[in-house]
Amino acid sequence: MPYNVKNLNGTSNNRVPCGYTSWLDFWEKKSGKKARECACCYKNAEVGAHVQKANSDDRSWYIVPLCCHCNCISSSEEFTVYDILIPVNS
Ligand SMILES: [Zn+2]
């Protein structure tokens, strides 16, 4: 942390793994933390957003808590998050 990331679009069909109620729940259980704040702007965390690291060879998908506003940042725009990234396939 911090990481420069970009939003991934078209991930709403990516189903939450069995045993989790949402991607935010997935992030909380994997990180062992409460998702209270957006990892970007510190407003209330509302979604477990799918992101990719920017400027990186790592093309993995990660989950990070964001507010709805930050989750709607264009996928072409880089922004910074200040929390743990949890790999989607973890
Ligand atoms: Zn935010």
Side-chain angles (χ1 to χ4, degrees):
M1 310 182 255
Y3 299 101
N4 284 340
V5 298
K6 290 180 175 183
N7 273 320
L8 282 157
N9 287 339
T11 56
S12 51
N13 290 334
N14 193 27
R15 290 182 58 183
V16 176
C18 200
Y20 302 95
T21 58
S22 66
W23 284 111
L24 204 54
D25 182 50
F26 176 85
W27 185 92
E28 287 190 334
K29 287 182 174 146
K30 294 284 187 183
S31 69
K33 298 173 62 168
K34 277 281 165 200
R36 290 191 189 88
E37 295 170 333
C38 172
C40 180
C41 73
Y42 299 108
K43 290 180 182 154
N44 283 342
E46 291 167 293
V47 294
H50 289 70
V51 299
Q52 238 173 1
K53 289 178 183 170
N55 307 314
S56 170
D57 292 334
D58 180 0
R59 306 320 294 155
S60 309
W61 290 13
Y62 293 94
I63 301 299
V64 71
L66 292 181
C67 70
C68 287
H69 174 77
C70 293
N71 191 37
C72 287
I73 295 171
S74 161
S75 61
S76 60
E77 217 177 298
E78 264 179 50
F79 59 99
T80 305
V81 293
Y82 302 90
D83 214 328
I84 300 168
L85 301 180
I86 301 292
V88 166
N89 297 311
S90 66

